[in-house]
Amino acid sequence: MTRERPEGRPAGLSHVWDPLQCRVSHGLALPQGVSVDDVGELTRLMERRYFDAFTRADAKRLIGTSLLREIADEMTRESPVKLTLYAGHDSTIIALFAALDEPAFGSLREWPRVCSALIFETWRMNDDTIGVRAVYNGETIKLTETSRREDGMTPYVDFRALVERRSPRDFVSACKSKL
């Protein structure tokens, strides 16, 4: 028997997986007949579904680029605010990686775990320019080909050029079907 959602539609994969994964992540008991291995298999299915969707060439430029542009704008905005926090979901992190494209997307090797964090740091460099570094779950990621190998620091102008290259100016036109 298929469990119906309130709207009368069967529960989708994410509606089944998400609460089970939360139970595993928090060390809670799983329903009778469901094992940690079963949840792991659902996780692999979710990863494939989302990674396939988020890596499609026609989708990568649309998914997450608006948020990425907002983050890049915030980095140079004149403001007394020294820290800006954005909260999201695992799919938000995947969307940002998709927006960043390669080489950063290659840093995402598995589904973001509970409490994952993608941190963008801005640094005032010795030459008075701005540097950007991204850290995912404690590991520095390479944002562009100009990112320094030793610490991932990327000149802001190169990061901004990436954002401009990846982000459509007109989302309505960019979202229209090419069929």
Side-chain angles (χ1 to χ4, degrees):
M1 181 163 113
T2 304
R3 183 174 178 175
E4 296 290 322
R5 291 183 37 227
E7 300 89 28
R9 294 178 292 166
L13 178 59
S14 62
H15 293 101
V16 173
W17 168 77
D18 197 47
L20 293 173
Q21 183 59 53
C22 286
R23 295 189 77 74
V24 168
S25 296
H26 294 286
L28 301 173
L30 291 169
Q32 185 176 351
V34 178
S35 70
V36 172
D37 288 341
D38 294 334
V39 178
E41 183 58 29
L42 287 173
T43 300
R44 284 185 285 286
L45 291 170
M46 287 294 293
E47 286 174 343
R48 186 170 51 215
R49 174 182 170 191
Y50 276 93
F51 281 120
D52 286 352
F54 284 31
T55 57
R56 283 188 10 228
D58 59 337
K60 284 172 85 170
R61 291 195 65 236
L62 303 175
I63 298 173
T65 53
S66 181
L67 177 56
L68 186 62
R69 179 181 293 282
E70 185 176 325
I71 291 168
D73 290 345
E74 182 72 26
M75 290 176 177
T76 57
R77 189 172 291 134
E78 289 295 323
S79 171
V81 175
K82 299 293 182 192
L83 175 68
T84 303
L85 296 175
Y86 294 86
H89 294 273
D90 44 9
S91 56
T92 308
I93 290 175
I94 294 172
L96 282 169
F97 272 102
L100 290 167
D101 203 20
E102 297 299 336
F105 194 79
S107 301
L108 188 63
R109 293 179 281 285
E110 63 180 18
W111 192 266
R113 299 296 169 225
V114 173
C115 295
S116 287
L118 176 56
I119 300 167
F120 291 93
E121 303 172 341
T122 52
W123 292 72
R124 177 75 55 198
M125 307 308 287
N126 289 337
D127 63 359
D128 212 33
T129 61
I130 297 173
V132 178
R133 182 169 66 171
V135 180
Y136 175 63
N137 290 341
E139 291 186 32
T140 302
I141 61 172
K142 184 176 179 179
L143 292 170
T144 69
E145 294 303 325
T146 61
S147 298
R148 292 191 311 215
R149 181 183 303 255
E150 65 273 10
D151 61 5
M153 194 64 67
T154 305
Y156 176 79
V157 294
D158 294 344
F159 176 68
R160 187 70 206 200
L162 166 73
V163 171
E164 294 301 322
R165 200 170 51 251
R166 300 287 304 147
S167 303
R169 281 287 175 193
D170 181 358
F171 273 88
V172 173
S173 294
C175 289
K176 287 184 180 174
S177 174
K178 305 287 191 249
L179 300 177

PDB file of all heavy atoms in Angstrom, residues 28-47:
ATOM      1  N   LEU A  28      18.634   7.984  16.029  1.00  0.00           N
ATOM      2  CA  LEU A  28      17.314   7.522  16.446  1.00  0.00           C
ATOM      3  C   LEU A  28      16.975   6.206  15.758  1.00  0.00           C
ATOM      4  O   LEU A  28      17.493   5.898  14.686  1.00  0.00           O
ATOM      5  CB  LEU A  28      16.255   8.580  16.103  1.00  0.00           C
ATOM      6  CG  LEU A  28      16.460   9.957  16.751  1.00  0.00           C
ATOM      7  CD1 LEU A  28      15.453  10.950  16.204  1.00  0.00           C
ATOM      8  CD2 LEU A  28      16.365   9.854  18.264  1.00  0.00           C
ATOM      9  N   ALA A  29      16.076   5.452  16.373  1.00  0.00           N
ATOM     10  CA  ALA A  29      15.678   4.162  15.813  1.00  0.00           C
ATOM     11  C   ALA A  29      14.950   4.352  14.487  1.00  0.00           C
ATOM     12  O   ALA A  29      14.205   5.316  14.303  1.00  0.00           O
ATOM     13  CB  ALA A  29      14.762   3.433  16.799  1.00  0.00           C
ATOM     14  N   LEU A  30      15.199   3.417  13.586  1.00  0.00           N
ATOM     15  CA  LEU A  30      14.506   3.411  12.296  1.00  0.00           C
ATOM     16  C   LEU A  30      13.232   2.584  12.420  1.00  0.00           C
ATOM     17  O   LEU A  30      13.120   1.732  13.295  1.00  0.00           O
ATOM     18  CB  LEU A  30      15.417   2.812  11.216  1.00  0.00           C
ATOM     19  CG  LEU A  30      16.622   3.660  10.837  1.00  0.00           C
ATOM     20  CD1 LEU A  30      17.587   2.858   9.984  1.00  0.00           C
ATOM     21  CD2 LEU A  30      16.171   4.921  10.107  1.00  0.00           C
ATOM     22  N   PRO A  31      12.256   2.820  11.536  1.00  0.00           N
ATOM     23  CA  PRO A  31      11.038   2.007  11.568  1.00  0.00           C
ATOM     24  C   PRO A  31      11.375   0.522  11.370  1.00  0.00           C
ATOM     25  O   PRO A  31      12.384   0.173  10.743  1.00  0.00           O
ATOM     26  CB  PRO A  31      10.219   2.535  10.391  1.00  0.00           C
ATOM     27  CG  PRO A  31      10.774   3.877  10.097  1.00  0.00           C
ATOM     28  CD  PRO A  31      12.219   3.839  10.495  1.00  0.00           C
ATOM     29  N   GLN A  32      10.529  -0.310  11.876  1.00  0.00           N
ATOM     30  CA  GLN A  32      10.721  -1.751  11.747  1.00  0.00           C
ATOM     31  C   GLN A  32      10.832  -2.116  10.270  1.00  0.00           C
ATOM     32  O   GLN A  32      10.053  -1.657   9.439  1.00  0.00           O
ATOM     33  CB  GLN A  32       9.544  -2.506  12.374  1.00  0.00           C
ATOM     34  CG  GLN A  32       9.738  -4.000  12.375  1.00  0.00           C
ATOM     35  CD  GLN A  32       8.589  -4.709  13.104  1.00  0.00           C
ATOM     36  OE1 GLN A  32       7.754  -4.081  13.732  1.00  0.00           O
ATOM     37  NE2 GLN A  32       8.594  -6.016  13.001  1.00  0.00           N
ATOM     38  N   GLY A  33      11.824  -2.937   9.951  1.00  0.00           N
ATOM     39  CA  GLY A  33      12.025  -3.386   8.580  1.00  0.00           C
ATOM     40  C   GLY A  33      12.914  -2.480   7.741  1.00  0.00           C
ATOM     41  O   GLY A  33      13.191  -2.769   6.586  1.00  0.00           O
ATOM     42  N   VAL A  34      13.360  -1.355   8.295  1.00  0.00           N
ATOM     43  CA  VAL A  34      14.235  -0.419   7.577  1.00  0.00           C
ATOM     44  C   VAL A  34      15.600  -0.447   8.257  1.00  0.00           C
ATOM     45  O   VAL A  34      15.703  -0.258   9.468  1.00  0.00           O
ATOM     46  CB  VAL A  34      13.674   1.014   7.586  1.00  0.00           C
ATOM     47  CG1 VAL A  34      14.623   1.974   6.882  1.00  0.00           C
ATOM     48  CG2 VAL A  34      12.294   1.062   6.948  1.00  0.00           C
ATOM     49  N   SER A  35      16.645  -0.667   7.473  1.00  0.00           N
ATOM     50  CA  SER A  35      18.000  -0.729   8.027  1.00  0.00           C
ATOM     51  C   SER A  35      18.802   0.507   7.610  1.00  0.00           C
ATOM     52  O   SER A  35      18.411   1.245   6.695  1.00  0.00           O
ATOM     53  CB  SER A  35      18.714  -1.987   7.532  1.00  0.00           C
ATOM     54  OG  SER A  35      19.000  -1.869   6.148  1.00  0.00           O
ATOM     55  N   VAL A  36      19.928   0.700   8.277  1.00  0.00           N
ATOM     56  CA  VAL A  36      20.846   1.785   7.902  1.00  0.00           C
ATOM     57  C   VAL A  36      21.304   1.580   6.459  1.00  0.00           C
ATOM     58  O   VAL A  36      21.455   2.547   5.701  1.00  0.00           O
ATOM     59  CB  VAL A  36      22.036   1.852   8.886  1.00  0.00           C
ATOM     60  CG1 VAL A  36      23.090   2.837   8.401  1.00  0.00           C
ATOM     61  CG2 VAL A  36      21.559   2.228  10.280  1.00  0.00           C
ATOM     62  N   ASP A  37      21.517   0.336   6.050  1.00  0.00           N
ATOM     63  CA  ASP A  37      21.897   0.049   4.660  1.00  0.00           C
ATOM     64  C   ASP A  37      20.801   0.487   3.689  1.00  0.00           C
ATOM     65  O   ASP A  37      21.088   0.993   2.597  1.00  0.00           O
ATOM     66  CB  ASP A  37      22.197  -1.437   4.470  1.00  0.00           C
ATOM     67  CG  ASP A  37      23.507  -1.852   5.127  1.00  0.00           C
ATOM     68  OD1 ASP A  37      24.353  -0.965   5.406  1.00  0.00           O
ATOM     69  OD2 ASP A  37      23.677  -3.062   5.362  1.00  0.00           O
ATOM     70  N   ASP A  38      19.531   0.298   4.066  1.00  0.00           N
ATOM     71  CA  ASP A  38      18.418   0.749   3.224  1.00  0.00           C
ATOM     72  C   ASP A  38      18.459   2.268   3.051  1.00  0.00           C
ATOM     73  O   ASP A  38      18.274   2.784   1.949  1.00  0.00           O
ATOM     74  CB  ASP A  38      17.062   0.356   3.833  1.00  0.00           C
ATOM     75  CG  ASP A  38      16.837  -1.141   3.864  1.00  0.00           C
ATOM     76  OD1 ASP A  38      17.422  -1.865   3.030  1.00  0.00           O
ATOM     77  OD2 ASP A  38      16.055  -1.599   4.749  1.00  0.00           O
ATOM     78  N   VAL A  39      18.714   2.970   4.145  1.00  0.00           N
ATOM     79  CA  VAL A  39      18.801   4.435   4.087  1.00  0.00           C
ATOM     80  C   VAL A  39      19.996   4.837   3.230  1.00  0.00           C
ATOM     81  O   VAL A  39      19.926   5.796   2.446  1.00  0.00           O
ATOM     82  CB  VAL A  39      18.870   5.057   5.500  1.00  0.00           C
ATOM     83  CG1 VAL A  39      19.020   6.575   5.421  1.00  0.00           C
ATOM     84  CG2 VAL A  39      17.629   4.683   6.307  1.00  0.00           C
ATOM     85  N   GLY A  40      21.105   4.099   3.335  1.00  0.00           N
ATOM     86  CA  GLY A  40      22.277   4.359   2.497  1.00  0.00           C
ATOM     87  C   GLY A  40      21.951   4.202   1.017  1.00  0.00           C
ATOM     88  O   GLY A  40      22.402   4.995   0.187  1.00  0.00           O
ATOM     89  N   GLU A  41      21.160   3.203   0.676  1.00  0.00           N
ATOM     90  CA  GLU A  41      20.759   3.009  -0.722  1.00  0.00           C
ATOM     91  C   GLU A  41      19.859   4.151  -1.187  1.00  0.00           C
ATOM     92  O   GLU A  41      19.990   4.643  -2.307  1.00  0.00           O
ATOM     93  CB  GLU A  41      20.047   1.658  -0.901  1.00  0.00           C
ATOM     94  CG  GLU A  41      19.659   1.345  -2.324  1.00  0.00           C
ATOM     95  CD  GLU A  41      20.822   1.318  -3.301  1.00  0.00           C
ATOM     96  OE1 GLU A  41      21.961   1.010  -2.890  1.00  0.00           O
ATOM     97  OE2 GLU A  41      20.597   1.620  -4.485  1.00  0.00           O
ATOM     98  N   LEU A  42      18.944   4.589  -0.334  1.00  0.00           N
ATOM     99  CA  LEU A  42      18.110   5.746  -0.670  1.00  0.00           C
ATOM    100  C   LEU A  42      18.979   6.991  -0.861  1.00  0.00           C
ATOM    101  O   LEU A  42      18.723   7.800  -1.761  1.00  0.00           O
ATOM    102  CB  LEU A  42      17.067   5.995   0.421  1.00  0.00           C
ATOM    103  CG  LEU A  42      15.912   5.009   0.502  1.00  0.00           C
ATOM    104  CD1 LEU A  42      15.058   5.294   1.729  1.00  0.00           C
ATOM    105  CD2 LEU A  42      15.068   5.035  -0.763  1.00  0.00           C
ATOM    106  N   THR A  43      19.997   7.133  -0.022  1.00  0.00           N
ATOM    107  CA  THR A  43      20.919   8.269  -0.156  1.00  0.00           C
ATOM    108  C   THR A  43      21.605   8.229  -1.521  1.00  0.00           C
ATOM    109  O   THR A  43      21.708   9.252  -2.202  1.00  0.00           O
ATOM    110  CB  THR A  43      21.965   8.260   0.978  1.00  0.00           C
ATOM    111  OG1 THR A  43      21.297   8.347   2.225  1.00  0.00           O
ATOM    112  CG2 THR A  43      22.948   9.417   0.838  1.00  0.00           C
ATOM    113  N   ARG A  44      22.070   7.077  -1.937  1.00  0.00           N
ATOM    114  CA  ARG A  44      22.720   6.953  -3.251  1.00  0.00           C
ATOM    115  C   ARG A  44      21.752   7.316  -4.378  1.00  0.00           C
ATOM    116  O   ARG A  44      22.127   7.959  -5.350  1.00  0.00           O
ATOM    117  CB  ARG A  44      23.298   5.554  -3.421  1.00  0.00           C
ATOM    118  CG  ARG A  44      24.599   5.344  -2.630  1.00  0.00           C
ATOM    119  CD  ARG A  44      25.238   3.985  -2.893  1.00  0.00           C
ATOM    120  NE  ARG A  44      24.526   2.894  -2.223  1.00  0.00           N
ATOM    121  CZ  ARG A  44      24.573   2.644  -0.919  1.00  0.00           C
ATOM    122  NH1 ARG A  44      25.305   3.413  -0.130  1.00  0.00           N
ATOM    123  NH2 ARG A  44      23.915   1.637  -0.391  1.00  0.00           N
ATOM    124  N   LEU A  45      20.492   6.914  -4.247  1.00  0.00           N
ATOM    125  CA  LEU A  45      19.486   7.273  -5.257  1.00  0.00           C
ATOM    126  C   LEU A  45      19.255   8.784  -5.277  1.00  0.00           C
ATOM    127  O   LEU A  45      19.140   9.387  -6.351  1.00  0.00           O
ATOM    128  CB  LEU A  45      18.167   6.541  -4.985  1.00  0.00           C
ATOM    129  CG  LEU A  45      18.171   5.039  -5.203  1.00  0.00           C
ATOM    130  CD1 LEU A  45      16.879   4.416  -4.666  1.00  0.00           C
ATOM    131  CD2 LEU A  45      18.355   4.710  -6.678  1.00  0.00           C
ATOM    132  N   MET A  46      19.180   9.391  -4.095  1.00  0.00           N
ATOM    133  CA  MET A  46      19.004  10.846  -4.011  1.00  0.00           C
ATOM    134  C   MET A  46      20.205  11.570  -4.603  1.00  0.00           C
ATOM    135  O   MET A  46      20.043  12.542  -5.336  1.00  0.00           O
ATOM    136  CB  MET A  46      18.817  11.275  -2.550  1.00  0.00           C
ATOM    137  CG  MET A  46      17.475  10.925  -1.960  1.00  0.00           C
ATOM    138  SD  MET A  46      16.126  11.811  -2.746  1.00  0.00           S
ATOM    139  CE  MET A  46      16.484  13.473  -2.240  1.00  0.00           C
ATOM    140  N   GLU A  47      21.414  11.093  -4.277  1.00  0.00           N
ATOM    141  CA  GLU A  47      22.612  11.715  -4.830  1.00  0.00           C
ATOM    142  C   GLU A  47      22.576  11.688  -6.357  1.00  0.00           C
ATOM    143  O   GLU A  47      22.822  12.695  -7.009  1.00  0.00           O
ATOM    144  CB  GLU A  47      23.868  11.001  -4.319  1.00  0.00           C
ATOM    145  CG  GLU A  47      24.200  11.289  -2.889  1.00  0.00           C
ATOM    146  CD  GLU A  47      25.350  10.457  -2.359  1.00  0.00           C
ATOM    147  OE1 GLU A  47      25.720   9.431  -2.966  1.00  0.00           O
ATOM    148  OE2 GLU A  47      25.885  10.838  -1.300  1.00  0.00           O
TER     149      GLU A  47
END
